[in-house]
């Protein structure tokens, strides 16, 4: 199998991944998954598409990851892995789509507006 690449985004995070045949190693920015994401919940988020299909030990994944916070980065990697699995075998798409892993979550931070302290918050109203 040749190397398959895919991209995933979430908020400000961008994940570029390269999937090759292997033994289940996930390397993020030249560090192991459990070193980059020490929290078990974030490791679980990253591995969700692989566990849904049942191929967690079949592929080695190399990830270039930048931007955003740790939660957004984990979800960006999840989207990229799901897209790569569909590139490898299109029959995986219905199962991944049913779990919601194929959808790019488009919610991003709303910009600050002029004349306000934040995007929606207003300064205290003074009657007089």
């Amino acid at each position: 199998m040749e190397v398959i690449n895919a991209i995933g985004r979430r908020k400000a995070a961008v994940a570029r991944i390269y999937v090759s045949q292997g033994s289940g190693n996930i390397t993020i920015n030249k560090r192991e998954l459990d070193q980059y994401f020490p929290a078990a919940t974030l490791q679980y988020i990253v591995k969700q598409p692989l566990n849904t299909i049942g191929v967690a030990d079949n592929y080695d994944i190399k990830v270039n990851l930048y931007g955003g916070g740790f939660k957004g980065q984990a979800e960006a990697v999840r989207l990229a892995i799901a897209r790569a699995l569909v590139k490898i075998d299109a029959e995986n798409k219905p199962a991944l789509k049913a779990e919601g892993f194929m959808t790019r979550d488009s919610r991003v931070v709303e910009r600050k507006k002029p004349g306000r302290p934040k995007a929606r918050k207003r300064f205290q109203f003074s009657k007089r």
Side-chain angles (χ1 to χ4, degrees), residues 14-67:
V14 180
R16 294 176 298 164
I17 71 163
Y18 303 92
V19 180
S20 57
Q21 204 71 39
S23 58
N25 295 327
I26 300 176
T27 309
I28 302 174
N29 292 350
K30 298 179 182 171
R31 287 159 52 192
E32 291 298 316
L33 175 66
D34 56 345
Q35 289 178 326
Y36 195 86
F37 291 127
T41 52
L42 298 177
Q43 294 175 27
Y44 173 75
I45 287 172
V46 169
K47 292 180 181 176
Q48 274 181 313
L50 298 166
N51 294 333
T52 302
I53 305 294
V55 294
D57 298 332
N58 296 8
Y59 301 110
D60 283 345
I61 302 173
K62 183 178 172 292
V63 183
N64 291 333
L65 189 54
Y66 62 91

Side-chain angles (χ1 to χ4, degrees), residues 54-97:
V55 294
D57 298 332
N58 296 8
Y59 301 110
D60 283 345
I61 302 173
K62 183 178 172 292
V63 183
N64 291 333
L65 189 54
Y66 62 91
F70 48 83
K71 175 82 167 165
Q73 286 189 342
E75 292 182 9
V77 174
R78 179 176 72 180
L79 176 62
I81 290 173
R83 286 177 171 174
L85 290 173
V86 170
K87 276 188 184 179
I88 292 167
D89 185 5
E91 293 177 10
N92 295 332
K93 190 167 185 177
L96 292 170
K97 195 170 177 78

Side-chain angles (χ1 to χ4, degrees), residues 110-121:
E110 190 174 338
R111 80 176 199 83
K112 183 196 173 300
K113 312 298 189 307
R116 295 188 184 174
K118 289 168 48 176
R120 301 263 173 124
K121 188 176 182 180

